[in-house]
Amino acid sequence: MSDWKTQQMIKASGWPETPDALAIGANFNQATPSGLVPFHWACEHGKTGLVRHMIAHGANVADVSADGKSMLELALNARDFQSLMLLIDQLKATGAPPPGEPMKARLTQAFSGGHPDAHNRLLQTLRDWERIARKNRG
């Protein structure tokens, strides 16, 4: 297992299985023997520390769950702004296409009643993502 800080973060997350599935070098997008996929679980439960850890160590942010949900959708359903922003930043960095209008509407609606800074940051990030995508296409 990795350093003490990582071990504590994993313990505090409530991950229901062996911490080995979250160790550096593990495939976070692969199901454990019980069927849980660590990265999907972290996104779905709004575990920002785990999401950050897994992204930093190779998690595939473009992965989809068995029922076809993107990691962005899972984090949105958890209403976890920080995990959502980590995913968006990584998706932008990897050149993934920005979300379609229905997902953009869900994203902006979900965080419209929260802190104005969070809402404005999300809107600006979505605009930046669109700008980057246009630049890459042209």
Side-chain angles (χ1 to χ4, degrees), residues 3-4 14 19 27 31 47 52 89 100 103 107 119 122:
D3 65 19
W4 179 84
N27 182 347
K47 303 296 183 177
R52 181 179 291 112
D89 287 343
M103 176 55 89
L107 288 165
H119 181 70
L122 176 63

Side-chain angles (χ1 to χ4, degrees), residues 44-80:
E44 186 173 38
H45 289 88
K47 303 296 183 177
T48 303
L50 282 181
V51 170
R52 181 179 291 112
H53 164 75
M54 291 181 200
I55 288 172
H57 297 287
N60 177 6
V61 295
D63 200 10
V64 294
S65 65
D67 61 354
K69 292 182 181 167
S70 69
M71 299 304 99
L72 209 53
E73 287 178 276
L74 294 177
L76 177 58
N77 291 343
R79 298 186 68 79
D80 183 57

Side-chain angles (χ1 to χ4, degrees), residues 106-120:
R106 284 186 60 207
L107 288 165
T108 55
Q109 176 62 32
F111 297 103
S112 64
H115 195 281
D117 287 347
H119 181 70
N120 292 337

